[in-house]
Amino acid sequence: RTVMFLLLHLILLATQSDSDAAALAITARFRNGDLDFVWTNTSQNNYEIFLSKDGRSDPWVRVFRTQYSIADIMMYNSVRITVFDQKTRSSYQHTYEVLKFETEAGKSTNVTLPTECTENATFIFIIKWRNDNNTDVKKILLKENSHVIEKRSKYAVYYGLPVSGETALEIRGVTLSDAAYYSCGNRTDDALSRQGVILVVHQKPIQPTLRTDRHTKSDGVVVGTSINLTCSSNSTSSPHYYSKVASLSYAWFVGDETLRETDSTLTIKVTRSFRNKTITCTAEDFLESIHSEALRIIPLYGPETIEIIPQPPIQRENKVIITEGMVIGPYDCAADCNPPCDVTWSHANSTGSSYALVQGEQTLQHIVSREMVSFSCRAEGKFGQPIERTILLDVIYMDLPLVYINEEQRIQADIREGKTLHVSCFVNGNPTPRVRLSKVKDSGSAILSEVTGPWSNYSSDRGTQCYDTGAFHCVGMAAGLGTESVKFDINVLCEARRDIHEMLNIYNGTVIGFEDTVIVKIPVIANPSPVAKKVSWLDLDDQAINVKTVVLQPGNVSYRHLIISIVPWNGVEQNRAYTVNYGGRLLTKITIDSKDLQKPASERFQNRESRFLISVCLSVVLGVSLLGVTVVLCRMKGRQTDPSNQDIVQVEDQGTINFYEQATSSDNNHLYSTLDTVEKETPH
């Protein structure tokens, strides 16, 4: 049916003539925000009408009177009506423009009236409707003289503006009471039927009310959940028929951020940032309202990241290097959760086991031991999954060295000469220490071996010698840890024997005032120290002779000694052979030649200080009766300072005796014989 009427309307429009248009007159009458279309010169009781509002067409409607009303005309900018007269088969149109001026209270504004309004009009009408639908009317006189201005305290009328010819009404100090329908005419009814202007006076909308679709103030909302918000407000602008249809726009604010949405409803997803922010909204109708009361949404969430404060000093292999026994920390474990997370520190050891520290303690401060490989902070919240952050450790340490002598842990050992000696030094540490084994000497130490690794092994497979006796050091060294050392002693037990690296010396006792004696110095090697009473002298007939003997240790080498004997001598004899035993075993054989005992007087009493020292030593041992012997020893010491004046007898243990003079032989290169070294590690 609608399609049929539309086609009929188009046909009729095409055939409409000027005379037909005059047959039906349509006028528009403004009424308290509504608009009445009225037509006259009618000849029938029903009509087909067609409305177009802001270009949008309504369906054809049949009416049975000569009037059609449109409510809330201020919702539109333009309304056009088409009336079809079935009798004349003609259609008629009328268009009404909804003209409005907008201002805000307290300002001044100009209301411009169109020429069709002021034509043949006497007054400007200001029409307002009360709640009882009655009107209050104010009239301002219009004058037809061109460009004449009439000024009053409130209004000023500008007649016939240049170019447009329109008339303007200036209103000073606008208030809400100035909001009205402004038109022209000679009477009120005439003014309502002309094209008028609506003056809208704006105020800020009322403070909006912000609501949610759930209770959030105390319970909170899980992060990621969407909530629906509604912002509602009303216009307070005048006239009332404007405010009731006014379309408000809205603005949304999350903290200091302005969202793009302008509708009265908002769907938003809750994030962590809501914890420190509030949500508000405003409404706008020409003017923006104040903000709504702030809505605080409590976001509920579990841990997402863990921060350790301060940042641990990460070094090689992403680990914290720390010395055993030191305190790690304090480190705080911070995780953002709502409600707060349960925080637990734990440590793991090298076996893979994990041990929790005090639960709920966010600060780590703990003494580190070598078996610890990491500390972990675990944060677990009511929502989400628990997370961890780990501090990897590189605990550095170095133990005191352990010494193994012939597979037995000890720091002192007595070993029989000729037996195998095996020394192992173990230093446990991280990083791997460098281990040095050395023997103590007068001038410092002699390094026997130095390796990087916990075990160092040293062997003397040739069999130990007496000169292997001494003090040793095992030293562990590591960067950042300094050194750790242990001193140990090896005492090689050896039978007394002639020291072939030292010279045997014979001195004439008569040179220093003693008759019928010779003094013999025999260097020997023995450990423990030889005992004087075990020394015996035999003549060619294997008969014991009466010899006075003392034992001295001339240096700080424990296994080197001097056996000094005062032997009776018959000056008439040319030479004589002797056998010297120790403990019943052959020590050496000596032949004394008388011609070698004659010394020039100029050699006597050289180096008085040395003679004095040795004389004191012998006096203590032999007593006053051997005072003469001490003088001889002094003479002997003096001869050592001048080797060219010494008479030296070198004696072989086999009994072959050779007499000769030569310079003294130094024993510095024989104080210590380096142990043989093996590269393989011991079972330790």
Side-chain angles (χ1 to χ4, degrees):
R1 181 180 178 183
T2 301
V3 174
M4 180 187 68
F5 282 141
L6 181 59
L7 292 173
L8 179 61
H9 168 66
L10 294 175
I11 295 172
L12 291 175
L13 285 178
T15 60
Q16 182 179 354
S17 64
D18 293 340
S19 59
D20 293 333
L24 193 146
I26 302 175
T27 60
R29 178 185 175 89
F30 187 85
R31 175 177 51 83
N32 198 16
D34 298 335
L35 185 67
D36 298 329
F37 283 111
V38 179
W39 53 92
T40 58
N41 301 329
T42 62
S43 58
Q44 60 185 39
N45 294 326
N46 62 81
Y47 302 89
E48 299 292 336
I49 66 170
F50 178 78
L51 292 175
S52 176
K53 303 170 183 175
D54 293 336
R56 295 187 298 272
S57 300
D58 289 347
W60 283 89
V61 178
R62 174 169 290 188
V63 297
F64 297 92
R65 55 179 181 167
T66 59
Q67 177 179 328
Y68 189 81
S69 298
I70 300 175
D72 300 325
I73 193 63
M74 296 202 70
M75 295 175 61
Y76 315 105
N77 295 318
S78 175
V79 178
R80 185 180 64 193
I81 188 170
T82 301
V83 180
F84 175 67
D85 187 347
Q86 292 185 355
K87 182 177 180 180
T88 62
R89 313 299 293 175
S90 302
S91 62
Y92 306 91
Q93 290 185 343
H94 184 80
T95 300
Y96 183 83
E97 300 291 339
V98 182
L99 303 178
K100 63 178 180 288
F101 284 87
E102 297 181 271
T103 188
E104 58 183 286
K107 293 188 176 182
S108 297
T109 189
N110 290 330
V111 177
T112 302
L113 301 169
T115 54
E116 60 266 29
C117 175
T118 59
E119 185 177 358
N120 299 321
T122 307
F123 300 99
I124 296 175
F125 285 85
I126 303 174
I127 305 171
K128 296 190 296 182
W129 279 265
R130 299 194 299 268
N131 291 335
D132 57 4
N133 214 29
N134 292 320
T135 59
D136 291 329
V137 179
K138 180 182 293 186
K139 296 187 295 184
I140 299 175
L141 182 64
L142 274 172
K143 294 185 178 180
E144 297 180 359
N145 301 33
S146 297
H147 312 303
V148 175
I149 298 176
E150 180 180 346
K151 292 185 178 181
R152 300 181 183 179
S153 59
K154 177 74 174 177
Y155 305 100
V157 181
Y158 299 86
Y159 305 99
L161 294 176
V163 182
S164 67
E166 295 175 333
T167 298
L169 175 65
E170 180 185 9
I171 307 174
R172 304 184 185 96
V174 174
T175 64
L176 290 177
S177 62
D178 292 318
Y181 185 74
Y182 287 74
S183 188
C184 308
N186 300 313
R187 302 180 314 277
T188 301
D189 290 343
D190 182 27
L192 291 174
S193 299
R194 297 190 184 213
Q195 177 69 65
V197 177
I198 304 165
L199 176 62
V200 180
V201 179
H202 288 284
Q203 289 190 128
K204 292 182 178 181
I206 63 174
Q207 182 182 19
T209 300
L210 183 57
R211 296 184 178 87
T212 68
D213 60 349
R214 61 175 65 205
H215 182 66
T216 62
K217 290 188 176 180
S218 58
D219 297 341
V221 180
V222 178
V223 165
T225 302
S226 295
I227 59 173
N228 298 318
L229 304 175
T230 301
C231 185
S232 57
S233 179
N234 291 314
S235 173
T236 60
S237 301
S238 291
H240 68 277
Y241 46 80
Y242 165 81
S243 61
K244 74 176 184 178
V245 298
S247 178
L248 304 182
S249 63
Y250 294 86
W252 293 90
F253 305 89
V254 178
D256 297 331
E257 180 186 2
T258 302
L259 306 184
R260 295 182 179 181
E261 287 75 2
T262 58
D263 294 337
S264 61
T265 59
L266 173 68
T267 299
I268 191 169
K269 184 176 290 187
V270 176
T271 65
R272 292 169 175 260
S273 64
F274 282 29
R275 186 170 186 175
N276 301 316
K277 296 179 180 179
T278 58
I279 300 177
T280 60
C281 66
T282 59
E284 184 175 355
D285 174 29
F286 193 81
L287 298 175
E288 187 177 27
S289 70
I290 63 174
H291 283 250
S292 66
E293 290 187 2
L295 174 66
R296 183 177 294 277
I297 295 176
I298 302 174
L300 304 176
Y301 53 89
E304 194 172 71
T305 59
I306 288 180
E307 184 179 8
I308 296 178
I309 305 172
Q311 179 69 27
I314 303 300
Q315 294 172 287
R316 63 173 180 260
E317 298 179 354
N318 293 322
K319 295 180 180 180
V320 174
I321 300 176
I322 187 170
T323 304
E324 182 181 34
M326 293 184 64
V327 175
I328 186 172
Y331 291 120
D332 288 330
C333 181
D336 184 20
C337 306
N338 193 34
C341 295
D342 291 329
V343 175
T344 302
W345 280 99
S346 62
H347 72 82
N349 61 22
S350 55
T351 64
S353 301
S354 181
Y355 303 92
L357 305 180
V358 180
Q359 187 170 4
E361 183 62 50
Q362 294 187 345
T363 300
L364 169 66
Q365 194 166 12
H366 199 76
I367 297 175
V368 174
S369 58
R370 68 184 62 184
E371 68 274 3
M372 294 178 178
V373 296
S374 66
F375 282 91
S376 296
C377 172
R378 176 184 173 91
E380 184 173 3
K382 186 176 180 181
F383 302 93
Q385 297 298 319
I387 60 174
E388 286 188 359
R389 184 170 177 186
T390 299
I391 303 175
L392 298 177
L393 300 181
D394 185 5
V395 182
I396 61 175
Y397 60 90
M398 186 166 59
D399 293 337
L400 284 172
L402 299 178
V403 176
Y404 294 85
I405 303 175
N406 288 344
E407 312 303 329
E408 182 180 348
Q409 184 184 342
R410 48 185 168 169
I411 58 173
Q412 196 280 329
D414 292 333
I415 300 175
R416 181 65 59 183
E417 187 176 32
K419 298 295 184 181
T420 299
L421 173 65
H422 184 75
V423 179
S424 297
C425 183
F426 174 71
V427 181
N428 182 34
N430 178 44
T432 302
R434 189 161 183 82
V435 181
R436 175 187 296 167
L437 184 67
S438 60
K439 184 177 182 182
V440 179
K441 297 181 66 176
D442 292 340
S443 58
S445 61
I447 297 177
L448 303 180
S449 179
E450 183 171 334
V451 297
T452 299
W455 284 98
S456 294
N457 303 284
Y458 310 93
S459 295
S460 178
D461 294 332
R462 56 171 170 71
T464 57
Q465 299 297 316
C466 206
Y467 47 73
D468 291 330
T469 297
F472 295 78
H473 274 145
C474 177
V475 181
M477 299 166 285
L481 295 171
T483 62
E484 295 286 353
S485 66
V486 166
K487 180 181 178 182
F488 62 97
D489 297 305
I490 295 177
N491 189 36
V492 180
L493 304 177
C494 55
E495 298 291 340
R497 65 177 178 269
R498 167 82 164 77
D499 188 355
I500 63 175
H501 298 291
E502 294 289 339
M503 297 301 174
L504 185 149
N505 296 289
I506 301 175
Y507 304 92
N508 188 349
T510 60
V511 174
I512 54 176
F514 292 94
E515 299 295 337
D516 303 320
T517 63
V518 293
I519 298 175
V520 181
K521 184 190 75 170
I522 306 173
V524 298
I525 291 177
N527 190 21
S529 177
V531 179
K533 66 182 181 179
K534 290 186 177 183
V535 179
S536 61
W537 284 68
L538 302 177
D539 58 16
L540 286 176
D541 298 327
D542 291 330
Q543 297 296 315
I545 61 176
N546 186 18
V547 175
K548 301 294 184 181
T549 299
V550 295
V551 177
L552 297 179
Q553 185 175 343
N556 57 1
V557 179
S558 61
Y559 55 84
R560 280 190 168 160
H561 311 277
L562 289 176
I563 295 178
I564 303 172
S565 297
I566 303 174
V567 182
W569 177 252
N570 184 351
V572 178
E573 299 180 59
Q574 294 298 315
N575 57 66
R576 185 181 297 177
Y578 297 95
T579 299
V580 182
N581 294 335
Y582 181 81
R585 297 177 57 189
L586 176 64
L587 182 63
T588 187
K589 290 185 177 182
I590 301 174
T591 298
I592 302 175
D593 193 335
S594 61
K595 67 176 184 295
D596 293 321
L597 299 179
Q598 298 176 7
K599 305 299 176 183
S602 61
E603 296 180 10
R604 301 179 183 181
F605 305 108
Q606 296 182 12
N607 196 337
R608 296 178 180 273
E609 293 181 359
S610 297
R611 292 199 300 271
F612 178 75
L613 289 175
I614 298 179
S615 66
V616 172
C617 296
L618 290 176
S619 297
V620 173
V621 177
L622 300 178
V624 178
S625 63
L626 296 178
L627 180 59
V629 177
T630 63
V631 178
V632 175
L633 291 178
C634 291
R635 174 63 176 166
M636 175 191 69
K637 187 63 177 180
R639 288 173 177 265
Q640 285 184 335
T641 62
D642 189 2
S644 62
N645 294 327
Q646 292 188 15
D647 291 313
I648 301 172
V649 180
Q650 182 170 351
V651 183
E652 296 182 0
D653 288 343
Q654 300 300 322
T656 302
I657 305 172
N658 297 305
F659 294 85
Y660 60 91
E661 284 188 350
Q662 67 175 36
T664 186
S665 175
S666 172
D667 62 356
N668 289 339
N669 294 326
H670 304 288
L671 291 178
Y672 173 71
S673 179
T674 304
L675 298 176
D676 295 332
T677 303
V678 293
E679 296 297 330
K680 61 183 180 179
E681 293 187 353
T682 67
H684 299 289

